[in-house]
Amino acid sequence: MHRSRFLHTLVPTLAVFAIGTVLLHACRDDRPTAPSTPLAGANLAEAATTAVIHPTGDTYLNIDAGNYATETQLNLYTWPDTKPANAILMTFDLASIPPGSTVSSATLTLNLVASDATTDPTYTVTAHAIVNKNPVLTSTTGYTYDGVNSWTPNTCCYNNVPLAQADIGPPVATQDVDKTPGLKQWEVTSIVRGWLTDPSTNFGLLLNSDPSKLRDRYRTFSSSEDPIANHRPTLTVVYIRPGPPPPPPPPPPPPPPPPPEALVGQWSTVFPAPIVQLHLHLLPNGRVLSWGRNGDPQVWDPLTGGFTAVPAPSWLFCAGHDFLPDGRLFVAGGHITDDHGLPNANVFDAATGSWQPAPAMAHGRWYPTTTTLADGQVLVMGGRDQAGAVVTTPEVWNGSGWRPLTTANLETEYYPRNFVAPDGRVFYAGEDQPSRWLDVSGTGSWTDGPRRNFTGGRGYGSAVMYAPGKILYVGGGDPPTNTAEIIDLNQPNPAWTYTGSMAFARRQMNATLLPTGDVLVTGGTSGGGFNNPVGAVHASELWSPVTGTWTTVASNAVTRIYHSTALLLPDGRVLHTGSGDGGQGADERNYELYSPPYLFQGPRPAITGVTPSTVGYGQIVFVGTPDGGSIARVTFIRLGSVTHAFDMGQRMVPLSFQQVTGGLSVATPESRTFAPPGPYMLFLVSGNGVPSEARIMLLQ
């Protein structure tokens, strides 16, 4: 029985897929056979040349998940009755044949070494061009063309194994192969001519077994691994070289080279999204939850680019949101109509992909800010209620119910820019003047804080806490400003001071913390008015907290103004999306990905092994890395939860560390006011300023 020899362990392996990629090896030689004198009526350029080309790779497909590229034989086999069980795959590199050559003939030659012992005198073998799929011969199987992706489904073969049968052209040569050992040939001129005419179609050729035969009929040929050189397969091509081409016109002057990505970064192409992603949240599992005014909330997987709908219990448009200590997303308020808010509260659990309603607030809230406090409670402030009235009373969620701050009534603008300060109070940075402090203990109280230097309101500017207690407030206003201010809340008498100004005035922009500590600003408009697309800014800018200066970097493609969002991803890229779903702007149901310059400045540090999913305050954590000696910084960035030009979740916390055997010993934050509980990304940053991919941890 030859079945076990050629089919190997057929039945147990029919559902197994082999995955792997190795380099192909190849050899070829050109053997000119031009006559010693020119042909009559022809010049020397028209003399015939013969090239004998060896395969760059050869293998055979079996009706199993094995790869046979390293075997010394190529098998054609029929099993069971009237079914092809093997097919031979070969690829050839025609680079030795000059473009524009005329092919006179192309002959494939294989050395027959074995045949079945039946009385059938011949075995019909057809040659076909491979189409549609570009096989990787070192890993292809009867199921897959590259060890991972399937051949086009086909029911030709045993147990519906595709065996490439739907990915080949019609037969171009048919040979009845007898049982006499030795060389057998197929005339494949049309295939080779097609490859030379359009090299992008050169996916190789396939020799098919004879499906008309009964089971256990076969022919076996030598492969490129046969130890006897003249037994190996060859493709003999006879061709006439083209005459010399006319001299080309002088080339135009080259365009100036684009700025290197290591200086300006790089934007992706524009990808479609099912909704306008104007509320955007990085989940603890690395996926991204978003919703807009219209349509169901969606979970986006950065690895696949796919979206999954997760319908919510309430209309969440214009709600506030931040992450709870256990990593779930807490959402307060929502939409009835414009300027009228829901009192609803909802919680999204990334682990189950599900929503859970929570007890309602005392007030409806439309455009509120949600802030997770140092003790894990959640402050909700601002917005408009069910009747459209401005809500002046903050409320605090304690995990099971609400506590109103009845002695802390204050009318604030939409989405107040709030931050937990080092002393545990909430610092209200604006948008309007002045800054204020909110003490959430008891029934609450306000204290006036310092006034910003920019005298106008910074409406729809963006603010971030770029280090514990340190805030950058940038842009905003009408007309928009390019100015930026910083404040250090760790000082006894903190005051706002100007830092460097952006190259572009911006309103409706987003500021995003990066693992290096720099701040990326994207989108917005320099035009006056609420949401003016005239003057839209596409160039992004980077702010350095070390120098206080801005650097203009690459420009994105889509105008993103009111309702645009930006979010740092665990791989160090920034998701930039949204714009529209209101404000008389175009609805941008799409997204772009920005790779900052640090992703082009050298190899990334690696985090190896397992890191804990939950850590405590003041804990020492081992982080495995082979790059411990090159690490200059370890940073903790809270997962982002962004809308309306403000990320309510993100903040940067540097971590102390020291090198140990096999990695780093990293100290988690000791202060809950520096790092409120919840999910964080841990990044290792090399001395060249290149971050690792992040590991996400819950700090509790």
Side-chain angles (χ1 to χ4, degrees):
M1 290 289 289
H2 290 275
R3 178 174 58 197
S4 61
R5 175 185 176 190
F6 295 139
L7 299 182
H8 299 272
T9 53
L10 171 67
V11 175
T13 59
L14 282 174
V16 178
F17 291 83
I19 302 176
T21 305
V22 295
L23 296 175
L24 298 176
H25 61 280
C27 62
R28 65 172 67 88
D29 58 79
D30 288 339
R31 302 175 185 175
T33 58
S36 57
T37 57
L39 297 176
N43 59 33
L44 289 175
E46 296 173 332
T49 301
T50 299
V52 179
I53 303 172
H54 297 281
T56 56
D58 56 21
T59 186
Y60 67 92
L61 305 180
N62 200 346
I63 50 175
D64 64 7
N67 176 262
Y68 306 102
T70 60
E71 295 199 4
T72 60
Q73 295 181 343
L74 302 170
N75 300 318
L76 295 176
Y77 203 96
T78 304
W79 185 92
D81 292 351
T82 67
K83 295 286 184 180
N86 290 163
I88 294 173
L89 281 183
M90 316 185 81
T91 57
F92 295 91
D93 184 351
L94 304 184
S96 62
I97 300 177
S101 297
T102 301
V103 173
S104 302
S105 65
T107 305
L108 175 68
T109 303
L110 271 66
N111 180 57
L112 179 68
V113 295
S115 304
D116 58 77
T118 69
T119 58
D120 287 353
T122 60
Y123 190 88
T124 301
V125 180
T126 53
H128 309 254
I130 301 171
V131 297
N132 301 326
K133 310 295 185 184
N134 192 4
V136 180
L137 298 197
T138 54
S139 55
T140 188
T141 74
Y143 292 95
T144 65
Y145 64 86
D146 61 359
V148 177
N149 298 288
S150 178
W151 295 104
T152 303
N154 189 273
T155 59
C156 79
C157 310
Y158 182 80
N159 204 26
N160 295 332
V161 175
L163 208 67
Q165 297 300 296
D167 296 301
I168 57 177
V172 301
T174 300
Q175 178 71 275
D176 291 330
V177 180
D178 60 22
K179 296 184 176 182
T180 304
L183 302 180
K184 311 297 178 182
Q185 294 183 327
W186 289 260
E187 198 270 320
V188 292
T189 306
S190 62
I191 293 179
V192 173
R193 285 174 176 166
W195 291 346
L196 282 175
T197 300
D198 184 358
S200 67
T201 65
N202 185 359
F203 298 153
L205 59 80
L206 178 144
L207 296 181
N208 241 342
S209 57
D210 189 343
S212 68
K213 297 297 184 184
L214 299 177
R215 62 183 297 166
D216 297 325
R217 272 63 170 177
Y218 62 88
R219 293 293 186 270
T220 303
F221 303 90
S222 299
S223 77
S224 294
E225 284 70 34
D226 192 302
I228 302 175
N230 61 6
H231 285 183
R232 298 167 191 166
T234 59
L235 178 65
T236 302
V237 182
V238 179
Y239 63 93
I240 297 174
R241 298 174 182 271
E261 289 83 355
L263 295 178
V264 300
Q266 184 181 74
W267 283 95
S268 71
T269 57
V270 180
F271 300 99
I275 59 172
V276 176
Q277 298 175 274
L278 65 90
H279 295 261
L280 202 60
H281 324 272
L282 176 63
L283 300 173
N285 59 12
R287 295 181 173 91
V288 176
L289 172 67
S290 64
W291 64 80
R293 183 185 187 113
N294 301 303
D296 288 328
Q298 301 283 330
V299 172
W300 173 68
D301 187 341
L303 297 179
T304 65
F307 287 85
T308 303
V310 285
S314 307
W315 195 355
L316 304 181
F317 175 56
C318 292
H321 28 72
D322 199 354
F323 286 97
L324 297 171
D326 62 6
R328 295 180 299 161
L329 181 71
F330 187 79
V331 183
H335 187 72
I336 300 173
T337 60
D338 288 353
D339 292 315
H340 298 79
L342 293 170
N344 301 26
N346 294 283
V347 178
F348 183 76
D349 187 345
T352 60
S354 62
W355 293 92
Q356 299 94 36
M361 298 176 287
H363 305 276
R365 296 191 186 262
W366 193 80
Y367 277 62
T369 289
T370 304
T371 308
T372 300
L373 304 174
D375 60 3
Q377 298 187 90
V378 180
L379 169 70
V380 180
M381 192 173 95
R384 290 183 180 267
D385 66 13
Q386 299 94 317
V390 174
V391 182
T392 60
T393 304
E395 298 180 65
V396 175
W397 168 256
N398 64 12
S400 59
W402 293 94
R403 172 170 57 91
L405 303 185
T406 54
T407 56
N409 291 306
L410 180 70
E411 182 173 331
T412 63
E413 71 280 356
Y414 289 146
Y415 286 121
R417 276 41 174 164
N418 287 346
F419 300 90
V420 175
D423 65 2
R425 294 181 294 173
V426 172
F427 183 72
Y428 163 50
E431 302 170 347
D432 290 334
Q433 298 274 21
S435 306
R436 299 177 188 269
W437 305 88
L438 173 62
D439 187 336
V440 300
S441 62
T443 56
S445 61
W446 284 101
T447 304
D448 284 349
R451 297 182 68 87
R452 291 190 309 276
N453 294 288
F454 182 71
T455 55
R458 288 190 178 271
Y460 289 97
S462 199
V464 296
M465 184 171 277
Y466 64 90
K470 297 181 179 182
I471 296 170
L472 168 74
Y473 209 139
V474 57
D478 187 10
T481 179
N482 67 339
T483 64
E485 300 177 65
I486 57 175
I487 190 170
D488 184 354
L489 304 181
N490 301 289
Q491 299 300 316
N493 296 297
W496 288 98
T497 60
Y498 276 120
T499 185
S501 294
M502 297 181 292
F504 301 91
R506 299 178 194 252
R507 174 184 174 93
Q508 310 290 6
M509 26 73 82
N510 284 273
T512 305
L513 291 168
L514 299 182
T516 55
D518 294 345
V519 178
L520 174 73
V521 166
T522 49
T525 177
S526 296
F530 178 71
N531 188 40
N532 189 351
V534 178
V537 183
H538 292 264
S540 302
E541 298 187 60
L542 280 172
W543 179 74
S544 167
V546 176
T547 65
T549 58
W550 294 87
T551 301
T552 302
V553 291
S555 298
N556 76 309
V558 178
T559 294
R560 300 198 189 275
I561 40 181
Y562 180 56
H563 285 165
S564 65
T565 47
L567 188 72
L568 176 66
L569 299 175
D571 63 8
R573 295 179 300 170
V574 175
L575 170 63
H576 191 33
T577 184
S579 196
D581 256 2
Q584 298 181 339
D587 292 347
E588 298 296 349
R589 295 183 179 88
N590 52 65
Y591 64 93
E592 299 164 273
L593 294 164
Y594 178 61
S595 297
Y598 53 56
L599 294 180
F600 304 93
Q601 293 173 350
R604 304 186 70 167
I607 299 178
T608 56
V610 177
T611 52
S613 58
T614 302
V615 295
Y617 287 89
Q619 180 179 338
I620 302 299
V621 177
F622 174 75
V623 178
T625 176
D627 307 303
S630 68
I631 301 304
R633 303 185 68 187
V634 179
T635 54
F636 231 24
I637 299 182
R638 205 165 188 274
L639 303 195
S641 182
V642 61
T643 191
H644 290 78
F646 180 49
D647 194 321
M648 304 175 203
Q650 67 175 350
R651 63 165 51 204
M652 162 76 76
V653 185
L655 302 181
S656 60
F657 66 96
Q658 59 181 197
Q659 187 177 1
V660 296
T661 302
L664 301 175
S665 180
V666 179
T668 62
E670 295 186 355
S671 170
R672 288 177 171 267
T673 60
F674 276 19
Y680 286 77
M681 289 183 282
L682 182 145
F683 289 94
L684 308 183
V685 183
S686 73
N688 292 332
V690 182
S692 67
E693 293 199 22
R695 293 290 177 90
I696 297 177
M697 303 175 178
L698 284 177
L699 178 62
Q700 295 180 332

